[in-house]
Amino acid sequence: MRAWRGWALAWLLAGAAAAPARAEVWAFEVRLDGRPIGSHRFELSGPPEAREVQSVARMDVTLLGVPLYRYRHEARERWRGDCLDGVSARTNDGGEASQVEWPDDTVGASGPVRPACLMSYAYWNPALTRQTQLLNPQTGQLDAVRFERLADAPLAVNGREVTAARWRLVATAPTPAATRQTLTLWLDRASGRWIGLDALVRGDRLLSYRLP
């Protein structure tokens, strides 16, 4: 009986050690100038040396019930540590469809590129703020990026107020004509977890990601 107990305990411990890491999920409500227009869900799974990120975005802008704009985006990213290992993404942006398969069709300002270690817009990864270029999974382009630390500020997360560390991100795409976008990244000051995002979009409107 003692031998059986010892074997059973060893088996249980081995099973616990082999259990996959629990997935981390961000289910954001997307708002345009404060008005809900859809959702963007991210799921991060796997150990650090072989992580996978699945994201699905669905947004619809209407006026008096009349559809004005529709956005759909689905992407799957594979990571080895802090290096992107592969991307497969499909997007429909206002009726304009695009598809990216990386590393096959990544392009920079001077043509196709094959960086040794590259990141996408991985807002969940603390190493993001140290980058100078990021892969855009919607366009397949390498955007030049610059980060600036902003003052901490409170943010409502899941019904409670959280002190957040904020970063301004200025991203410049190589085409068309060095298109620039400014975003604000919100991270939980205590844990470093990604908790929000703001972006200025066409017409100086504010697109926000919030955890309801």
Side-chain angles (χ1 to χ4, degrees):
M1 182 62 73
R2 289 180 180 176
W4 182 87
R5 286 177 179 173
W7 175 86
L9 179 59
W11 182 84
L12 287 171
L13 291 175
R22 189 173 64 177
E24 190 168 5
V25 175
W26 294 262
F28 287 104
E29 179 183 71
V30 182
R31 306 173 187 170
L32 183 64
D33 292 335
R35 175 190 173 193
I37 61 168
S39 63
H40 199 158
R41 185 181 189 275
F42 298 80
E43 182 172 327
L44 170 67
S45 59
E49 66 275 12
R51 289 182 288 199
E52 184 171 299
V53 180
Q54 301 271 3
S55 70
V56 178
R58 299 181 182 278
M59 306 175 203
D60 294 278
V61 179
T62 62
L63 178 63
L64 300 176
V66 179
L68 299 180
Y69 172 75
R70 182 175 184 266
Y71 180 86
R72 299 290 185 270
H73 175 75
E74 294 188 14
R76 175 175 175 263
E77 298 181 354
R78 300 181 304 279
W79 290 77
R80 293 185 184 277
D82 291 333
C83 298
L84 194 61
D85 192 47
V87 176
S88 179
R90 291 172 175 77
T91 308
N92 189 308
D93 186 354
E96 183 176 339
S98 62
Q99 181 173 341
V100 169
E101 299 292 337
W102 185 83
D104 293 338
D105 53 10
T106 307
V107 295
S110 58
V113 293
R114 298 291 185 272
C117 184
L118 179 68
M119 294 185 73
S120 64
Y121 284 81
Y123 303 113
W124 48 269
N125 192 323
L128 183 76
T129 58
R130 300 193 295 270
Q131 308 307 303
T132 58
Q133 64 176 6
L134 296 172
L135 172 71
N136 187 326
Q138 179 171 328
T139 65
Q141 296 180 342
L142 288 182
D143 296 344
V145 296
R146 175 172 54 84
F147 288 88
E148 177 188 352
R149 183 71 162 86
L150 302 175
D152 293 352
L155 186 71
V157 178
N158 301 136
R160 64 185 182 90
E161 192 171 273
V162 172
T163 300
R166 297 186 304 153
W167 291 85
R168 177 181 291 127
L169 163 58
V170 179
T172 304
T175 58
T179 305
R180 180 174 293 184
Q181 185 173 45
T182 301
L183 305 92
T184 301
L185 174 63
W186 298 74
L187 305 174
D188 186 310
R189 187 72 176 84
S191 67
R193 177 180 166 81
W194 177 30
I195 55 175
L197 185 74
D198 294 323
L200 287 175
V201 296
R202 187 179 305 168
D204 288 331
R205 306 187 73 181
L206 182 63
L207 185 77
S208 300
Y209 281 29
R210 294 292 184 266
L211 294 170

